[in-house]
Amino acid sequence: MNDGLINQIGICIERGKVNKASPYPGDMVGEDGSDELTRKALSDGIGPDLILQACNSGMQRIGERFSRNEVFVPELLMAAKSMNAVMAHLKPYFQTGTVKAKGKFVIGTVAGDLHDIGKNLVSMVVEGNGWEVIDLGVDVKMSKFVDAVKANPGCIVGLSALLTTTMTNMSKTVQEIKAQFPDTVVIVGGAPLTSITAERMKADGYAPDPQGAVAFLNKVSMSWKNEIIA
Ligand code: B1M
């Protein structure tokens, strides 16, 4: 029963079905969308992680269809809209209400790149783990990251990229931050990256997912505490 509901959420992401009132896609008019189904899943006790997994599978499928030229940018946009409807429901589950004591995390999607779903997930989970998150948005120029580091001394910086073409901007941004603020810790992530590319960019860390980003941040903050004690 629950499996059916979860699968249906994934299908809504793939098909870009946002809510019942949405006229898109034509063959799903009048049916519940990701909005209603997520609310139902949560009230049935289905965990946010399972819902997210279903969304990621839906995104994966639409991405593959895009690669095969079966769908185009408008379909990807509808998928993103549907995913945002899910994330609005999941956000409270990632917020612990913990005092923001661990430090500041500046995050943004690098210049030239408009993909923000993964970045938003990382922001939500990091914030939920007690960090103050300063989200600079998408298509963030190098100078904006630099200004944010200046305004938030001691912050850790997170860069996200989803396109192989914008990995160059990511690399330049890491280098610029490191040139101006050698002690600033930078972590990178996003689908086209690996720990090897991250290392080549001279980033301090790489995480494949939000949980990895939290683990990295917590490790850094622990090492800072140990330095202060020593
Ligand atoms: Co675009 N797109 N897109 N797209 N899009 C991809 C990325 C693509 C793989 C699709 C494909 O061809 N199969 C392909 C990139 C190919 C490549 O370079 N390797 C692609 C392309 C080509 C394009 C355009 C160029 C298409 C065009 O115009 N012809 C264009 C570029 C626009 C631009 O950015 N300048 C474009 C546009 C778009 C939309 C705007 C329509 C839309 C994005 C809407 C939005 O984000 N608001 C879109 C979408 C939705 C996708 C796919 C389908 C889904 C991306 C997504 O949200 N995934 C994507 C195909 C796919 O991924 N299967 C695709 C779900 C999300 C939860 O995962 O973002 O990977 P992800 O984030 C993960 C991890 O990567 C990680 O944690 C997240 C959660 O697990 N992570 C981090 C991310 N950032 C992190 C930072 C960290 C740590 C971990 O630390 C700081």
Side-chain angles (χ1 to χ4, degrees):
M1 173 65 191
N2 280 348
D3 280 0
L5 189 51
I6 291 171
N7 288 340
Q8 196 56 31
I9 294 173
I11 290 169
C12 285
I13 302 298
E14 181 182 357
R15 303 290 319 280
K17 176 72 176 168
V18 180
N19 54 32
K20 197 167 188 154
S22 168
Y24 180 87
D27 63 332
M28 291 176 85
V29 170
E31 290 178 24
D32 282 347
S34 58
D35 182 21
E36 292 86 4
L37 294 173
T38 303
R39 202 176 316 127
K40 181 162 181 4
L42 290 169
S43 73
D44 283 3
I46 297 176
D49 289 346
L50 267 183
I51 298 173
L52 262 185
Q53 263 176 37
C55 292
N56 286 337
S57 306
M59 273 298 186
Q60 191 60 38
R61 292 195 296 270
I62 188 81
E64 284 160 7
R65 289 170 63 202
F66 178 78
S67 301
R68 296 195 295 267
N69 289 326
E70 292 168 10
V71 296
F72 303 95
V73 171
E75 282 89 349
L76 293 191
L77 277 172
M78 289 311 292
K81 212 171 162 191
S82 180
M83 177 94 182
N84 284 334
V86 174
M87 280 164 67
H89 290 291
L90 298 191
K91 197 164 185 198
Y93 290 82
F94 293 106
Q95 289 172 330
T96 55
T98 325
V99 180
K100 309 266 188 279
K102 290 186 180 167
K104 288 187 184 180
F105 182 54
V106 168
I107 187 167
T109 304
V110 299
D113 202 321
L114 302 175
H115 296 85
D116 68 353
I117 296 171
K119 170 200 57 82
N120 293 344
L121 272 173
V122 173
S123 297
M124 256 161 53
V125 175
V126 167
E127 192 175 34
N129 276 274
W131 291 77
E132 179 180 346
V133 173
I134 298 150
D135 190 338
L136 303 179
V138 294
D139 189 18
V140 181
K141 310 275 172 294
M142 222 153 55
S143 58
K144 200 167 169 187
F145 279 109
V146 167
D147 289 347
V149 178
K150 248 181 230 156
N152 298 283
C155 67
I156 297 180
V157 180
L159 308 177
S160 178
L162 258 289
L163 300 170
T164 40
T165 48
T166 54
M167 280 166 62
T168 319
N169 290 339
M170 179 179 254
S171 178
K172 286 182 186 156
T173 306
V174 175
Q175 277 153 39
E176 188 59 27
I177 294 170
K178 288 286 178 187
Q180 295 204 34
F181 310 97
D183 294 336
T184 297
V185 173
V186 181
I187 172 174
V188 294
L193 284 136
T194 62
S195 53
I196 296 167
T197 46
E199 207 174 303
R200 276 197 206 122
M201 288 178 188
K202 308 253 185 296
D204 301 287
Y206 157 77
D209 50 35
Q211 292 72 20
V214 167
F216 175 82
L217 294 181
N218 288 343
K219 209 165 115 196
V220 173
S221 93
M222 276 310 290
S223 73
W224 284 344
K225 274 191 197 127
N226 290 340
E227 269 174 36
I228 291 164
I229 294 163

